[in-house]
Amino acid sequence: MTRPTTERIRAMLGSAVRVDATADGIPRATPRHEEECALLLHHANAEGWTVAVQGSGAWAAPRPAALVIATTGLDGLSDVSPADLVATVRAGTTWRRLQQELGDHGMWLAIDPPGSDRTVGSVTATGTAGPLRSGFGQVREHILGLTIVTGDGKVVRTGGRVVKNVAGYDLAKLVTGSFGAFGIVTELHLRLRTVPRADQTLVGRGVRDELLDAALAIAEGGVPPAALELLSPGATGGDGWRLAVRLLGTDGDVEAGRNDVCRRAGIALADTSAMESAALWRGAAARAVDGQVTVRLGGLPEGLAATLDLVAHHLDDTVEDWMSATVPAGTVRWTGDARIEDLNLLRRLAAEREIPLTVERAPWETLERLGHFGAYREGVGRLVRGLCDVFDPGAVLRAPVGAT
Amino acid sequence: MTALTQVLSAIEPIVGSRWIRRGRAELETYSSDGLPTLHARPGAAVLPGSRDEVIRIVRALAQYHVPFVARGAGTGLSGGALAQADALLIILTRLTRILQIDPRNRRATVEPGVVNVRLSNAAAPFGLHYAPDPSSQTACTLGGNVAENAGGPHCVKYGVTTNHILALEVVLPDGDVVQLGSPGGDPWGPDLVGLFVGSEGMLGIATRITVRLTPLPTAVRTLLADFNTLRAAGEAVSAIIAAGVVPAALEMMDRNCVGVVESSIYAAGYPTDAAAVLLVELDGMEDDAVADVARAVAALLADHGARTIRTASDEADRQRLWQGRKKAFGALGRLSPDLVVQDAVVPRSTLPDVLDRIAAIGDRYGLTVSNVFHAGDGNLHPNITFDRSDPDQRHRVERASVEIMEACIAAGGTITGEHGVGRDKLRYMPALFDANTLGAMRAVRRVFDPEERCNPGKVIPIHACREWTTAKRTIT
């Protein structure tokens, strides 16, 4: 593997850019602008260096590479427009900082990704929505436009700052959730919401399938709550399964929602204080990295009991791990430690049921063998391969998306 | 014998000769879509009767390297479904089956020729509907909606087409059939469904479409407010959005438009002396909660200078208020021989300024510009009525349209919010995207369609693209 020296990278970028070495002695650059990022990737492509992208280090495991590009220098909110409910933010900004600054303007981004202290770029690259997916959709739904630097150092700007836009292909959708296969995201335009006046979480306790039935009954009602999440003991740090229902909106909305949810649930749902509910949601997100591997299975709401059984049977038969089901979306996320063979078998069995299994995070050795994806339908693998060749022609980023 | 003639001989046994159109007169029907300013007569047209026939046709086209264009109801407004003389038009209006409605999981699978409103009607008994509702929803097809990423008045709350498509079956230009997305909507890999929706028919033909269904709201309030100035109405829109209200629809019409509607058979009782009227719809599941929001919105409207605020008293009244809005384009069409329906989006906070600028541009060119649009999204539809047979008018319309687009781009906006680029807006693309980004779009297109035969000449201005070389990677 060709590898540049730290001095070479320093000379390339000038003294204003931080260049150091990782614990393994790999040169690491922290560019401050997309042009510097483009310069690095242009050279990497020309010289055959492989590149690993590092955010805050809170989600993805390190991977071998000739050069590390840290995105933490690409940080800060470039623009916030409360009247338009749109913000432009650089990808290295931490989630916490983003929400804090938006909060100062009375706004927020309605995504609560698993993990904590992650960067905006990490959440975008992995497409990891949390429980709020019930009410607000996937990560892709919140991104109006973005800038990427491709594997060979080209800058591509797609979408825009307006909330409705069909000019050109929707490359932002392609990039979101592609695990960095098509480039390094440097900046995003995000769709915001005003901070709701009322925010109430109700919690039910009981046996898993009883809670799931209650959740399905709630979901069958009208509009799904902001969150309708089934959480394993490992996810809450408690001693049994929980059903957590989050209602957001005006006081009237939340009151109406509570009545509706309680009527449909058929089980007791207890109010929580603001402090308790914040601890519940934050704790569950933080524990999502308690274990080396996180996978997501995307099925249908009706099939959730079977999906949960499938995961439990193959990865977690003592039900001690972190597990969470976003009921209206039909998705299950699991975190723990698992053997590659078990993950592979689970992926195959899930695929037979038309359920994609995405490896959201794992040690490099696992990812390299399994790929983030890897159960492509006939004819789709070649499209993904072709797209990787377009955006990463020198295989500099070589994201394990099953394209090699 | 041309390649097209050859391929028609191969296609005739597939569909039967009665479903092939070759004569000049019968092809004239397909020589334009909803946009009156562009014309192109296809070399021939074929109307397949099934998904299998579509696949076999596309395979034959691949074999003879013949370009093709898929077409639904032809209600598009960007010339996106026009085909040139060397190309075959594939009309999908016979593929009209609703294959499945799955109320428990809130999804449905349809063929591409299903008309938008028909799906909502079929889902209604389950308390569900298909939320994106273009003004042409009684005619336009879901295949066309997918190609164009269609919007509609209620998209301000419920999202546009792309937010509602879970999975697609696509025939690629080489005749391969691929399944994109999964029943629940999670992707098997990078989000190819998200890429396909809005690609304007250039990556392949969708033969099966799985969509998300949305609960029908059980409580609705519809308000009509009128203003002395367009600016005041625009500011009221900003105030509603900034207050955190998520209206189900937030539509604006200006004086010209109201006048036309009120003098037509669709008269809805809009005040004709107002500079602008706003139609605000709020919906939800609980009547009290919706009524509360309606009161708050009424207060905001009054604060921003609404002269009168009327609330629909019952469903019939509500339908009447909407009728004026939904039929506005039709009413405008009666005003003069031709109508250009423009489409652009600006940041919502810039609406008052941009509306002023558009009015000034219309005045300067001596044209009547009528605005009827999705104000809640900042999605403008400045419409220019004119007479195509007058070359001078045609020229002025052309100049004014360019200036309106320039004004929207300068305000931080985009050149199309829901109608697509098609052929009509190719020329504006370089003002919005640099050569690298356009080059990326073209390179992506070539992954799906290396010969660029599938709806050629749309969306990407090829001369403005930077050439992307795709290194052939050794497969390991």
Side-chain angles (χ1 to χ4, degrees):
Chain A
M1 181 161 70
T2 19
R3 173 187 286 195
T5 61
T6 308
E7 291 66 39
R8 170 93 194 273
I9 300 299
R10 207 167 272 145
M12 190 190 298
L13 296 171
S15 57
V17 178
R18 184 172 162 208
V19 179
D20 58 2
T22 66
D24 301 330
I26 302 169
R28 173 173 52 201
T30 310
R32 303 155 306 163
H33 304 292
E34 69 193 21
E35 296 79 15
E36 292 161 354
C37 199
L39 184 72
L40 284 164
L41 284 168
H42 174 79
H43 280 279
N45 183 63
E47 311 243 359
W49 308 331
T50 54
V51 168
V53 184
Q54 190 187 76
S56 60
W59 184 257
R63 53 181 282 187
L67 171 68
V68 172
I69 297 181
T71 60
T72 44
L74 300 160
D75 72 331
L77 279 68
S78 328
D79 188 82
V80 181
S81 173
D84 296 316
L85 296 178
V86 172
T88 301
V89 57
R90 303 212 302 159
T93 311
T94 61
W95 203 258
R96 182 178 301 173
R97 175 174 173 192
L98 171 69
Q99 296 287 30
Q100 259 166 16
E101 291 198 19
L102 294 178
D104 292 343
H105 292 92
M107 292 177 297
W108 72 308
L109 181 61
I111 307 175
D112 53 351
S116 37
D117 303 319
R118 297 175 64 188
T119 61
V120 175
S122 164
V123 174
T124 304
T126 57
T128 40
L132 288 171
R133 179 173 172 172
S134 290
F136 300 98
Q138 305 189 50
V139 174
R140 75 205 282 272
E141 262 78 57
H142 303 260
I143 296 175
L144 302 171
L146 51 77
T147 302
I148 55 165
V149 181
T150 63
D152 56 349
K154 296 196 199 86
V155 177
V156 172
R157 294 170 216 282
T158 172
R161 277 181 54 83
V162 284
V163 294
K164 207 169 168 190
N165 191 352
V166 295
Y169 300 157
D170 197 346
L171 300 181
K173 295 273 188 305
L174 180 67
V175 168
T176 304
S178 67
F179 293 93
F182 306 127
I184 301 179
V185 176
T186 55
E187 191 172 69
L188 304 103
H189 305 302
L190 299 169
R191 175 197 283 265
L192 309 177
R193 286 171 168 76
T194 51
V195 173
R197 250 187 316 209
D199 179 351
Q200 175 68 53
T201 295
L202 310 174
V203 176
R205 294 157 186 260
V207 181
R208 190 198 78 181
D209 285 353
E210 243 173 52
L211 296 178
L212 181 56
D213 286 345
L216 288 168
I218 293 168
E220 261 190 32
V223 180
L228 180 56
E229 197 81 5
L230 186 63
L231 296 159
S232 75
T236 59
D239 51 2
W241 287 79
R242 302 264 199 291
L243 175 63
V245 189
R246 188 169 176 190
L247 302 160
L248 296 174
T250 62
D251 294 326
D253 291 336
V254 168
E255 195 46 44
R258 182 216 305 270
N259 293 339
D260 185 58
V261 161
C262 290
R263 195 178 61 238
R264 289 176 192 280
I267 59 165
L269 294 171
D271 276 352
T272 54
S273 70
M275 224 152 72
E276 286 165 341
S277 64
L280 171 81
W281 294 116
R282 210 168 29 228
R287 288 185 200 97
V289 292
D290 284 357
Q292 290 202 305
V293 179
T294 300
V295 300
R296 179 177 82 234
L297 293 95
L300 294 173
E302 264 195 322
L304 271 174
T307 310
L308 286 164
D309 285 345
L310 195 66
V311 175
H313 181 74
H314 290 276
L315 302 180
D316 181 21
D317 50 11
T318 54
V319 195
E320 286 169 350
D321 295 335
W322 190 101
M323 215 188 305
S324 181
T326 304
V327 177
T331 54
V332 171
R333 179 174 280 126
W334 169 89
T335 295
D337 297 314
R339 296 184 309 156
I340 293 178
E341 306 79 72
D342 293 336
L343 289 165
N344 220 356
L345 178 62
L346 176 61
R347 171 178 279 164
R348 200 161 52 76
L349 295 171
E352 283 171 10
R353 301 170 185 213
E354 291 290 307
I355 296 173
L357 182 152
T358 305
V359 181
E360 294 186 328
R361 53 183 277 283
W364 177 247
E365 306 73 49
T366 307
L367 266 184
E368 199 180 21
R369 280 185 53 198
L370 272 180
H372 291 289
F373 312 110
Y376 288 119
R377 291 329 206 207
E378 200 180 342
V380 174
R382 77 172 161 111
L383 296 176
V384 175
R385 225 164 14 248
L387 292 167
C388 286
D389 285 345
V390 164
F391 289 97
D392 185 21
V396 165
L397 302 165
R398 58 189 180 111
V401 292
T404 51
Chain B
M1 212 161 49
T2 66
L4 183 61
T5 325
Q6 284 180 311
V7 83
L8 285 174
S9 315
I11 287 171
E12 196 170 313
I14 300 173
V15 293
S17 58
R18 65 180 287 231
W19 297 112
I20 295 181
R21 307 278 179 270
R22 311 167 199 246
R24 281 180 68 92
E26 47 185 5
L27 290 175
E28 194 54 36
T29 315
Y30 305 115
S31 69
S32 63
D33 57 14
L35 182 75
T37 48
L38 290 177
H39 277 77
R41 194 162 40 229
V46 58
L47 292 97
S50 70
R51 157 189 179 272
D52 287 346
E53 288 182 8
V54 175
I55 295 166
R56 291 170 68 196
I57 290 167
V58 173
R59 286 182 182 160
L61 290 161
Q63 195 186 335
Y64 292 95
H65 309 283
V66 172
F68 62 95
V69 178
R71 179 180 170 113
T75 56
L77 291 162
S78 57
L82 297 190
Q84 302 296 317
D86 64 343
L88 179 69
L89 197 63
I90 304 176
I91 298 159
L92 298 164
T93 46
R94 291 177 64 212
L95 275 68
T96 55
R97 286 186 301 163
I98 295 175
L99 300 168
Q100 188 201 22
I101 291 184
D102 173 4
R104 280 190 64 101
N105 294 302
R106 292 187 175 165
R107 43 199 288 288
T109 301
V110 300
E111 292 189 325
V114 170
V115 169
N116 176 299
V117 79
R118 212 184 117 218
L119 176 59
S120 281
N121 291 343
F126 306 103
L128 300 169
H129 73 305
Y130 176 67
D133 58 341
S135 290
S136 58
Q137 72 178 144
T138 52
C140 65
T141 63
L142 288 161
N145 292 173
V146 166
E148 300 297 317
N149 190 12
H154 287 88
C155 292
V156 62
K157 176 169 180 177
Y158 293 101
V160 294
T161 303
T162 192
N163 306 116
H164 299 268
I165 304 300
L166 301 171
L168 295 167
E169 177 185 81
V170 171
V171 187
L172 297 176
D174 65 4
D176 257 17
V177 180
V178 292
Q179 311 291 332
L180 309 180
S182 68
D186 250 39
W188 295 97
D191 184 6
L192 300 183
V193 171
L195 174 65
F196 190 91
V197 177
S199 61
E200 303 200 22
M202 296 171 75
L203 306 182
I205 299 180
T207 44
R208 279 183 182 159
I209 303 165
T210 300
V211 305
R212 187 192 310 285
L213 298 174
T214 306
L216 281 164
T218 50
V220 182
R221 288 284 186 287
T222 306
L223 286 75
L224 185 85
D226 63 286
F227 295 83
N228 274 329
T229 63
L230 268 177
R231 175 166 287 276
E235 284 167 358
V237 169
S238 279
I240 291 169
I241 298 298
V245 174
V246 184
L250 180 41
E251 302 282 305
M252 199 194 294
M253 275 169 285
D254 68 3
R255 189 195 311 265
N256 287 340
C257 188
V258 167
V260 172
V261 167
E262 286 305 311
S263 58
S264 77
I265 54 164
Y266 307 118
Y270 298 160
T272 50
D273 60 336
V277 303
L278 276 183
L279 190 62
V280 190
E281 187 155 283
L282 305 153
D283 70 11
M285 292 296 167
E286 297 280 338
D287 205 56
D288 290 349
V290 176
D292 280 351
V293 180
R295 268 191 293 278
V297 167
L300 283 169
L301 291 167
D303 284 352
H304 286 81
R307 300 187 313 181
T308 57
I309 300 165
R310 187 177 134 196
T311 305
S313 52
D314 55 23
E315 182 57 24
D317 197 22
R318 173 179 169 259
Q319 290 296 346
R320 204 156 53 101
L321 290 185
W322 268 109
Q323 159 121 321
R325 163 64 186 88
K326 289 208 168 177
K327 299 294 182 187
F329 292 112
L332 283 166
R334 285 154 197 247
L335 197 65
S336 66
D338 295 290
L339 171 71
V340 170
V341 179
Q342 273 300 356
D343 172 39
V345 189
V346 296
R348 291 170 279 211
S349 58
T350 66
L351 274 176
D353 285 342
V354 172
L355 288 169
D356 279 351
R357 246 168 275 160
I358 291 173
I361 292 167
D363 287 347
R364 191 143 30 82
Y365 287 98
L367 296 166
T368 304
V369 182
S370 312
N371 288 288
V372 44
F373 63 98
H374 315 306
D377 291 318
N379 189 179
L380 295 165
H381 292 315
N383 304 298
I384 310 175
T385 39
F386 71 110
D387 181 354
R388 195 182 346 170
S389 64
D390 175 353
D392 173 57
Q393 272 199 43
R394 237 172 32 222
H395 178 71
R396 281 184 284 136
V397 167
E398 189 59 26
R399 287 303 314 152
S401 294
V402 170
E403 285 193 28
I404 288 172
M405 283 300 140
E406 285 168 352
C408 292
I409 294 171
T414 188
I415 56 173
T416 172
E418 54 186 13
H419 295 172
V421 175
R423 228 176 79 192
D424 185 43
K425 289 192 166 154
L426 271 178
R427 59 196 149 155
Y428 305 119
M429 287 291 276
L432 212 55
F433 298 111
D434 60 21
N436 254 337
T437 304
L438 292 172
M441 289 180 195
R442 187 177 186 201
V444 164
R445 191 271 175 88
R446 282 177 167 172
V447 170
F448 287 75
D449 182 15
E451 297 181 323
E452 300 182 280
R453 283 186 298 111
C454 187
N455 206 4
K458 312 289 163 57
V459 182
I460 304 165
I462 288 178
H463 66 277
C465 294
R466 175 170 155 182
E467 185 68 20
W468 279 44
T469 47
T470 308
K472 277 287 156 254
R473 195 183 302 193
T474 40
I475 311 269
T476 50

